[in-house]
Amino acid sequence: MGQADLKRYQMYIGGEFVDATDQSYIETINPYTGETWALIPQGNETDVDQAFSAARKCYESPEWRSLTPTKRGKLLRKLAVTIEQNAEYLAKIETQDNGKLFKEMYTQLKSIPAWFEYFAGLADKVEGTVIPLDRQSVLNYTLREPLGVVACITPWNSPLLLATWKLAPAIAAGNTVVLKPSEYTSASTLEFAKIFDEVGFPKGTLNVVTGYGHTVGDLLSKHPLANKVAFTGGGETGRKVAMNAVSHFAKVSLELGGKSPNIVFADADLVAAESGVIAGIFAASGQTCVAGSRLFVERSIADEFIHKLVNRAKEIKLGDPTLPDTQMGPAATAAQLRKIEEYVDIARSEGARVRVGGERPTDPELSKGLFYKPTILTDVHNSMRICQEEVFGPVLSVIPFDSEEEVIKMANDTQYGLGAGIWTNNLKRAHRMARSIESGIVWVNTYRATAFNSPFGGYKSSGIGRESGLEAIYDFMQTKSVWIELSDEISDPFSIRT
Ligand SMILES: NC(=O)c1ccc[n+]([C@@H]2O[C@H](COP(=O)([O-])OP(=O)(O)OC[C@H]3O[C@@H](n4cnc5c(N)ncnc54)[C@H](O)[C@@H]3O)[C@@H](O)[C@H]2O)c1
Ligand SMILES: C[N+](C)(C)CC=O
């Protein structure tokens, strides 16, 4: 297909759909077929400036100021309904762009309205407090106010879900937004902009600028009109984004990567544990921030458990991500596939034994896609690079353990702290472990679960701040303390009143 025949997207700035000012595009590729299927505008500094000006103009407009929290809530609920009606269509686009299974993207898309409904409900429930000062002649109360314009930057693996986790609380809190999706998967966000446009928000509430991270993303995070930068992506990018944001004193939240432990005790329901471990690493081809990429299994059951996992991994059906019986799709990008291959090579060179996988499939039907076989490594130790660095692919490292103390030490011996799975039928142990693991989320006898009303985020290098749940809306607000003197007494101007 020539460029002229491809679908051409436009950015969304100030309520208008516009081309990039210099008319340039990025090709967006289907990682299963290898074909370019659409063109995404490649924004530049002028486009970014226009988006921030539109967002700020909207924020300062009488129309936005008169949009009470209840009215914002109503519009967010309307948006939720429209997304529900378009969920299948949006999910198809995401699968076409990132190669993840349609059934996973559709489940995600169908869940998105719940986030908009939840934050719609919260919009008019954020309250200030009255402070009982020792100085009784003064009324002191707090106001929770929006920040202004929020810059949001999202990755390719769950484009609209992760945009929603930022947009819903940001708008509910009364901010306007400039959003940049990943250059690999911008199409669904630009389709979402069309849906958003129909809902009736003031022009400039949401602005979507597309383009590369090192240009458009960099400009977003250092833009003087950004009062907060909400970022999801890799750690190195997160560091740059945070430095940019801090350089102009913008608030920042970071949802970064992980090296999450999945810990299986001998007393667990081993059938459930096996399923949870497989889901944790091979669902989404391991391309999830919470991938359970380190498996710690109690030594007394290790051999048999590994044997079963290996057999199960051999049966995983790779293929067309749009088909219902496919269990694993391709990697999202050629760079991602190279990274997976490199990490497995490094693990081999450090002494790991490949028990299954460890290569690309040779099946001719998969030859155009960016596939890598589900891979299980043993003979690894926790200090090896494969156990310390995020691969973001279908690669599981297995380490046996002998005691709770030993496994807690190994599980926590990482710079990351996003998710953790504990598999045990011992209630006391479950609670002990949940308290001992240094991570933002601990799942006991389940894995990868998320909800609109439960906080999501990382300890240590896995991030700053929380998305979803009550806490999330406060991250998009600032607190003002108001002091009102009620007495008529004139005070001495040179003595500070306490
Ligand atoms: N904790 C979470 O909730 C969560 C969720 C999903 C993904 N992730 C993490 O995201 C990573 C994978 O996503 P990715 O490869 O798209 O990450 P990435 O860091 O390469 O890119 C993320 C976003 O940042 C932009 N970007 C790139 N360079 C930039 C720069 N210099 N300045 C500003 N923006 C820039 C990209 O264009 C993209 O929009 C993994 O590390 C994964 O763990 C975390
Ligand atoms: C946030 N989540 C778990 C849906 C995708 C993370 O990569």
Side-chain angles (χ1 to χ4, degrees):
M1 209 188 278
Q3 276 219 348
D5 306 316
L6 294 171
K7 188 173 174 78
R8 263 165 214 260
Y9 278 98
Q10 291 184 302
M11 299 190 287
Y12 182 57
I13 298 178
E16 308 293 331
F17 288 91
V18 294
D19 295 328
T21 44
D22 65 7
Q23 303 285 324
S24 54
Y25 291 93
I26 298 171
E27 293 188 347
T28 196
I29 299 167
N30 179 331
Y32 173 63
T33 62
E35 283 166 12
T36 300
W37 69 275
L39 297 173
I40 302 299
Q42 187 179 332
N44 62 19
E45 194 164 359
T46 308
D47 301 309
V48 172
D49 279 342
Q50 284 173 356
F52 275 100
S53 299
R56 188 70 211 180
K57 191 171 159 205
C58 174
Y59 182 71
E60 288 174 359
S61 68
E63 200 185 355
W64 187 255
R65 294 289 149 114
S66 64
L67 201 65
T68 61
T70 310
K71 287 181 186 162
R72 288 200 300 273
K74 275 190 182 157
L75 286 172
L76 287 168
R77 276 192 204 94
K78 198 170 159 197
L79 177 61
V81 172
T82 326
I83 295 167
E84 208 158 9
Q85 289 160 351
N86 289 279
E88 189 175 349
Y89 172 63
L90 292 169
K92 277 184 185 156
I93 290 183
E94 297 217 322
T95 291
Q96 196 165 343
D97 244 1
N98 68 9
K100 280 169 77 172
L101 298 187
F102 170 74
K103 57 189 171 204
E104 166 147 4
M105 299 329 285
Y106 190 32
T107 305
Q108 277 190 10
L109 261 295
K110 281 188 293 185
S111 76
I112 284 177
W115 265 268
F116 282 106
E117 280 157 13
Y118 175 74
F119 286 103
L122 271 187
D124 58 8
K125 289 167 197 69
V126 172
E127 294 174 348
T129 49
V130 175
I131 317 289
L133 290 188
D134 285 343
R135 238 175 93 187
Q136 289 178 340
S137 68
V138 170
L139 171 65
N140 178 220
Y141 61 90
T142 59
L143 294 173
R144 300 254 195 194
E145 296 186 336
L147 296 165
V149 178
V150 176
C152 302
I153 303 176
T154 51
W156 46 261
N157 66 330
S158 296
L160 280 178
L161 183 71
L162 294 167
T164 297
W165 289 12
K166 297 161 182 53
L167 280 182
I171 296 175
N175 303 283
T176 57
V177 172
V178 177
L179 166 64
K180 189 204 94 68
S182 166
E183 54 272 37
Y184 296 112
T185 56
S186 296
S188 64
T189 305
L190 292 169
E191 293 287 349
F192 171 86
K194 293 180 195 166
I195 289 168
F196 188 93
D197 189 63
E198 287 164 15
V199 171
F201 283 99
K203 284 182 187 301
T205 304
L206 168 68
N207 305 274
V208 182
V209 198
T210 51
Y212 290 109
H214 64 277
T215 54
V216 174
D218 184 60
L219 289 163
L220 243 73
S221 58
K222 63 185 181 207
H223 203 283
L225 289 180
N227 301 103
K228 165 168 172 145
V229 185
F231 171 82
T232 300
E236 278 319 304
T237 319
R239 194 187 304 278
K240 288 182 199 158
V241 165
M243 302 296 268
N244 279 347
V246 167
S247 73
H248 63 280
F249 306 111
K251 227 175 160 175
V252 65
S253 59
L254 304 171
E255 292 287 348
L256 307 174
K259 199 73 210 176
S260 300
N262 225 336
I263 302 170
V264 179
F265 287 94
D267 63 26
D269 173 341
L270 295 179
V271 178
E274 184 193 320
S275 192
V277 170
I278 293 282
I281 188 65
F282 298 131
S285 309
Q287 300 174 126
T288 169
C289 51
V290 291
S293 51
R294 291 182 300 151
L295 168 63
F296 296 100
V297 55
E298 198 161 354
R299 197 176 301 277
S300 59
I301 56 158
D303 285 349
E304 198 183 336
F305 195 76
I306 294 167
H307 179 71
K308 284 189 178 154
L309 282 181
V310 166
N311 285 342
R312 184 96 175 253
K314 280 180 189 158
E315 286 165 11
I316 292 175
K317 185 170 166 35
L318 276 57
D320 182 345
T322 63
L323 298 179
D325 62 339
T326 301
Q327 294 173 316
M328 238 181 74
T333 66
Q336 189 54 38
L337 179 62
R338 273 196 304 280
K339 184 177 169 197
I340 298 167
E341 289 179 313
E342 277 167 22
Y343 267 107
V344 174
D345 287 346
I346 292 167
R348 275 197 185 97
S349 71
E350 287 188 328
R353 182 175 159 210
V354 177
R355 298 291 291 268
V356 61
E359 59 185 2
R360 300 190 59 182
T362 49
D363 184 342
E365 270 187 36
L366 303 176
S367 63
K368 288 188 182 153
L370 302 168
F371 286 94
Y372 198 81
K373 285 186 182 173
T375 298
I376 297 179
L377 307 173
T378 57
D379 298 23
V380 293
H381 51 85
N382 198 46
S383 58
M384 281 165 56
R385 284 185 64 190
I386 194 70
C387 293
Q388 291 293 328
E389 295 171 25
E390 187 185 47
V391 177
F392 222 55
V395 183
L396 178 68
S397 302
V398 188
I399 302 178
F401 68 89
D402 293 298
S403 69
E404 250 179 70
E405 295 68 35
E406 184 196 10
V407 77
I408 290 167
K409 202 162 173 235
M410 286 194 288
N412 288 339
D413 182 14
T414 159
Q415 63 168 314
Y416 293 112
L418 189 55
I422 318 282
W423 299 86
T424 178
N425 275 332
N426 178 330
L427 187 67
K428 290 179 185 167
R429 166 177 280 160
H431 286 289
R432 270 198 308 272
M433 291 296 295
R435 281 173 178 263
S436 306
I437 296 295
E438 295 165 353
S439 69
I441 310 137
V442 174
W443 292 288
V444 178
N445 298 333
T446 183
Y447 204 81
R448 278 187 92 204
T450 57
F452 55 86
N453 49 2
S454 180
F456 185 99
Y459 279 23
K460 303 192 279 188
S461 304
S462 289
I464 298 174
R466 290 292 175 272
E467 294 191 325
S468 306
L470 266 180
E471 257 181 78
I473 196 160
Y474 298 123
D475 252 9
F476 289 91
M477 306 194 92
Q478 52 196 337
T479 305
K480 180 179 280 173
S481 177
V482 181
W483 294 61
I484 306 207
E485 177 61 66
L486 300 175
S487 90
D488 293 328
E489 192 188 326
I490 307 295
S491 60
D492 172 358
F494 301 105
S495 84
I496 294 169
R497 302 190 67 176
T498 54

